[in-house]
Amino acid sequence: MRVFTNRRVLIISFPADGEARSDLRPEPNGAVMEIFIRNLLVVMACALPLLWLMERIRFPTLVAFLVTGVLIGPAGLSWIRQAPEIHALAEVGIIALLFVLGVEFSVESLAAFGARLPVFGTLQVLLTGLLGGGVLTLLGWPLRSALVVGFAVSTTSTAILLKVLQERKELDTHHGRWAVGTCLFQDMATPLILLALPLSQTGSPTLTGLGPILLRGVVIVAGTLWMTRYGMPWMMERVARMGTSPDFIRAFVLVWALAIIGAVYALGWPIAIGAFLAGLILSETPISHQVVAELLPLRDFLMGLFFLTLGMQLDLRLFRTDVGSVTTLAVGLLLAKGLAFGGAAAAVRLPLRTALTLTLGMPYAGEFSVLVLNTALGLGILTEGLHAVALAGVFLSLVVAPFLTYLAPVVAAGGVVRMTQAAPTRPTEAPERRDHVVVIGYGINGENLATVLRAVQIPYCVIEMDLGRAQTAARAGHPVIVGDALYAHVLRQAGVEAARMVVIAMADRLAAIRILRQVRQMNPAAHVIVRVRFVRDVEPVLKAGADEAIPEEFETSVEIFSRVLRAFHVPRHVIQLQTNLIRQDHYGLLRGIPVTESSVRRIQSILTASVTDLYQVLDDSPAAGQSLGTLNLRGRGGATVLAVARGEQVFLNPGADFVLQPGDTLVLVGTHAELDRTTTLLEGRDSA
């Protein structure tokens, strides 16, 4: 669907026969604005309750826009039949998405996976395109159209995937990192797919026809590299020296982004690729993060409109007249993409649980699939009929996408456990270990724990399923076993049956609980500590058999209030007692467990008990040179000076005529409140 503006408005109408037709006719500016405001009001009014529903059931909100488009579009209630302005905004959404993708692109984020991610991503895209095209060819599609659709669905919806992973707090898990990395690689492949589409218009192009295309490509790539490395940083440095306002910098960035997009388009490349390259050029500037922060809300709204226009384009009659073909196409493409993920995972030897999670959780299409299909329609590679069927298949896959992403980790973990239990037990030649600590997971927590255990010479070993992290642990000199702790033979290799303690330091709560049950079956006497992200995860982990569950969010809060109390000169043993109260009963106070009367009395006794603290008189202290009688600390603050240490001398029960000197250390006794008031007096912050 293309929108042209030249003092006239392109009106897209959907007549009863379902055939889209365009009608260019003049519209007064006031009428155009009235139609636009009315259409936008209808869209948001209908999307609002669906957005609320999706938030309640923790579904990606983009699904709400997708369903809204179906309901109010020509195939549904027909409340909106002509909405060229909304379609134009949706196209801007795609441009904004690719622009932000270019700004956020980081070679370091891909390099963290090593060579395996590029190999995995390349194989997945190629296998999906070929297998998907093969499936459609078997269904009677022309080969060229089949391959285009196959490569179109090789991308996965980044927006839906990230939303689900964020809801489940799985971004830092092994499969979460690989899923995000794979989506990033797929997004990077989209411009290449768009570039390849014109080449397929007339079959295999001749060398003569390829020459100008390749030459323009070389010019664009070389210009992009030069602007990224030298041009844009030089210009931004000059702008910064001018001392300009943030508004000027925003305008400068916008002008240059539009100029880059226009230059790329003038050289014959799609506008979407120009947007990506413009973002890539700006990615090396100091303001790149600010650009992303300001564009994200607008990008998300425009992406919502894009999904809405996808729903409006859907021809529901296909589900009545040809539901078998649409369903067969959708299922075939899902299976083909799943097989592609499985084959690519096997090629780079991903752990089975991660491979299953990606295979089951990422076979659906994405927002860029629609962009490729619409571009192919505009180039005449796809007929309107084939485009409608392909779009319906993409729609079905996006509808089931949240379910697949939610269920994939559960099914994958359960499948690995069942395979482990069904497999015959094989004797393993493991090093003799006894009364040691088994650390499962070599993230920040696992690495720190392993380092401390080695320093104090406590025997231990590490289990890590990620090959890169395992190699890092091995280089650091830690005894490491590469494998998934869900497998019983991996746990036996680590000597779990004879371990004194097992620490499960993983971000994946679901996998941690399953590993915990395996450990309990093999060694009921082991002391098991499980790291969890949130306090709400403590109860299910304890019920699964853990001796202790350490929630990260409240350990952070404990450290914060400890430092705050130390800043107010609260004695360390009082801070420790407060910390113990918080941690007692497995963080019961923080989990909302009712506080008993005895606990209240204990807290009050701690806060009101007489405690001791030390105070050192500094060179610039107001108390230096004054006598204790003049300061009258006991009368004004309430605390008693038990002793004063001066160098090697200690003065017990100093009298009122004792004069304080810089460097003296006072031993004070009193309640928490009295110590706080006395310290305030010594620091001269109370003139009373």
Side-chain angles (χ1 to χ4, degrees):
M1 182 173 297
R2 308 178 70 180
V3 179
F4 300 90
T5 56
N6 184 17
R7 297 186 181 181
R8 294 187 293 177
V9 179
L10 173 62
I11 304 298
I12 307 296
S13 62
F14 297 85
D17 57 3
E19 294 294 331
R21 71 170 180 269
S22 60
D23 178 26
L24 285 168
R25 66 172 184 268
E27 287 284 352
N29 290 335
V32 172
M33 182 57 65
E34 179 184 353
I35 294 173
F36 171 67
I37 295 297
R38 183 191 64 197
N39 289 341
L40 193 59
L41 176 62
V42 171
V43 165
M44 297 311 300
C46 294
L48 197 60
L50 288 175
L51 288 171
W52 176 84
L53 177 62
M54 296 300 157
E55 288 288 346
R56 296 283 294 183
I57 64 177
R58 295 187 176 181
F59 241 50
T61 53
L62 292 178
V63 177
F65 285 101
L66 191 66
V67 176
T68 301
V70 176
L71 291 177
I72 67 177
L77 300 174
S78 297
W79 289 353
I80 296 182
R81 300 178 63 84
Q82 300 176 353
E85 301 86 358
I86 292 179
H87 285 278
L89 284 177
E91 296 295 333
V92 174
I94 285 291
I95 294 174
L97 180 64
L98 280 163
F99 178 76
V100 173
L101 175 64
V103 175
E104 290 181 320
F105 175 71
S106 170
V107 177
E108 290 78 9
S109 61
L110 292 179
F113 292 89
R116 292 202 298 170
L117 180 62
V119 174
F120 176 81
T122 302
L123 287 176
Q124 181 267 314
V125 171
L126 290 177
L127 289 176
T128 301
L130 296 176
L131 291 176
V135 169
L136 295 181
T137 302
L138 293 176
L139 294 176
W141 283 50
L143 178 60
R144 187 175 59 173
S145 301
L147 288 175
V148 167
V149 175
F151 279 100
V153 300
S154 63
T155 62
T156 300
S157 175
T158 306
I160 292 178
L161 179 76
L162 287 178
K163 178 67 174 178
V164 175
L165 291 177
Q166 288 170 349
E167 287 288 342
R168 294 176 62 94
K169 313 301 179 186
E170 293 178 351
L171 282 173
D172 195 38
T173 63
H174 189 260
H175 70 264
R177 293 193 302 272
W178 269 91
V180 174
T182 302
C183 274
L184 179 59
F185 191 89
Q186 291 173 346
D187 294 343
M188 291 293 299
T190 301
L192 299 179
I193 296 174
L194 291 173
L195 282 176
L197 287 179
L199 300 179
S200 64
Q201 280 184 278
T202 57
S204 301
T206 63
L207 293 177
T208 305
L210 277 177
I213 297 176
L214 294 176
L215 180 61
R216 289 195 296 267
V218 170
V219 170
I220 291 174
V221 171
T224 300
L225 293 176
W226 185 86
M227 285 292 295
T228 303
R229 187 75 180 270
Y230 303 105
M232 188 56 67
W234 181 85
M235 285 187 288
M236 291 304 301
E237 183 181 354
R238 296 300 181 276
V239 170
R241 289 180 180 178
M242 293 169 57
T244 55
S245 66
D247 290 335
F248 178 84
I249 294 177
R250 293 189 191 98
F252 175 82
V253 169
L254 178 62
V255 168
W256 267 104
L258 293 176
I260 293 167
I261 294 173
V264 171
Y265 182 71
L267 289 172
W269 281 27
I271 291 180
I273 296 180
F276 173 78
L277 295 178
L280 191 63
I281 291 172
L282 290 170
S283 65
E284 297 300 322
T285 62
I287 64 168
S288 60
H289 298 293
Q290 182 64 26
V291 171
V292 173
E294 294 185 359
L295 274 180
L296 279 179
L298 178 63
R299 183 204 67 175
D300 293 341
F301 171 72
L302 294 176
M303 278 303 301
L305 292 183
F306 175 78
F307 274 82
L308 180 133
T309 58
L310 169 60
M312 292 178 63
Q313 293 178 61
L314 187 66
D315 188 356
L316 288 180
R317 293 178 306 163
L318 290 173
F319 293 96
R320 295 193 302 266
T321 61
D322 204 8
V323 64
S325 298
V326 173
T327 306
T328 302
L329 178 140
V331 173
L333 291 177
L334 288 173
L335 292 176
K337 193 171 181 179
L339 289 174
F341 266 106
V348 299
R349 301 181 64 182
L350 282 182
L352 180 60
R353 176 156 54 93
T354 301
L356 287 176
T357 303
L358 298 181
T359 299
L360 299 174
M362 296 181 63
Y364 47 87
E367 45 273 359
F368 288 142
S369 303
V370 182
L371 176 62
V372 174
L373 291 177
N374 288 345
T375 304
L377 175 64
L379 294 173
I381 301 172
L382 289 177
T383 64
E384 291 188 2
L386 294 179
H387 175 265
V389 175
L391 207 60
V394 169
F395 174 83
L396 284 181
S397 73
L398 290 175
V399 169
V400 302
F403 297 100
L404 295 176
T405 306
Y406 270 112
L407 294 176
V410 181
V411 176
V416 170
V417 171
R418 285 191 291 272
M419 291 171 61
T420 302
Q421 294 172 345
T425 302
R426 297 175 296 177
T428 56
E429 296 181 3
E432 183 63 29
R433 295 187 177 99
R434 186 168 296 278
D435 289 336
H436 60 293
V437 179
V438 177
V439 181
I440 301 176
Y442 192 74
I444 294 177
N445 296 293
E447 179 182 1
N448 292 336
L449 176 58
T451 302
V452 171
L453 291 175
R454 182 175 59 184
V456 298
Q457 298 183 351
I458 294 177
Y460 69 99
C461 69
V462 177
I463 299 177
E464 175 57 56
M465 67 183 297
D466 184 85
L467 182 59
R469 289 187 175 184
Q471 291 173 342
T472 302
R475 286 193 296 268
H478 299 298
V480 60
I481 297 170
V482 183
D484 192 344
L486 277 174
Y487 286 107
H489 70 85
V490 174
L491 295 176
R492 292 191 185 95
Q493 184 74 15
V496 165
E497 294 158 318
R500 175 181 293 188
M501 180 174 290
V502 178
V503 179
I504 304 176
M506 302 171 58
D508 191 340
R509 180 182 65 87
L510 179 64
I513 290 176
R514 292 184 179 274
I515 293 171
L516 170 61
R517 290 170 179 162
Q518 290 266 55
V519 171
R520 276 286 171 244
Q521 291 177 3
M522 300 173 65
N523 187 351
H527 188 88
V528 183
I529 300 176
V530 181
R531 165 244 184 167
V532 295
R533 296 286 299 274
F534 304 99
V535 76
R536 65 172 178 264
D537 299 329
V538 170
E539 192 65 28
V541 168
L542 293 175
K543 287 183 178 179
D547 295 288
E548 297 181 58
I550 311 298
E552 284 187 354
E553 63 173 342
F554 280 111
E555 280 303 312
T556 302
S557 70
V558 166
E559 182 63 24
I560 290 174
F561 80 64
S562 298
R563 298 195 180 199
V564 170
L565 293 181
R566 282 200 294 271
F568 280 89
H569 306 285
V570 177
R572 293 184 181 276
H573 72 279
V574 174
I575 297 176
Q576 186 61 47
L577 287 172
Q578 292 285 347
T579 302
N580 292 341
L581 279 173
I582 292 294
R583 289 175 176 155
Q584 73 176 0
D585 298 325
H586 304 292
Y587 303 84
L589 287 174
L590 299 178
R591 289 190 289 127
I593 296 178
V595 181
T596 61
E597 185 177 351
S598 61
S599 298
V600 174
R601 286 198 299 269
R602 185 179 177 192
I603 296 172
Q604 291 174 343
S605 66
I606 290 174
L607 294 177
T608 59
S610 293
V611 293
T612 59
D613 196 10
L614 301 177
Y615 180 85
Q616 186 175 28
V617 180
L618 302 178
D619 293 339
D620 57 350
S621 173
Q626 298 195 49
S627 67
L628 293 178
T630 303
L631 292 172
N632 190 19
L633 299 177
R634 178 68 181 273
R636 298 167 62 195
T640 301
V641 180
L642 290 181
V644 177
R646 178 178 295 167
E648 299 294 331
Q649 292 182 295
V650 177
F651 301 92
L652 298 175
N653 297 318
D657 58 346
F658 187 89
V659 178
L660 299 178
Q661 296 180 8
D664 287 350
T665 299
L666 281 63
V667 181
L668 305 173
V669 63
T671 65
H672 172 210
E674 291 170 346
L675 289 172
D676 190 51
R677 288 197 300 269
T678 302
T679 301
T680 301
L681 291 171
L682 288 168
E683 293 175 349
R685 291 184 283 128
D686 189 345
S687 60

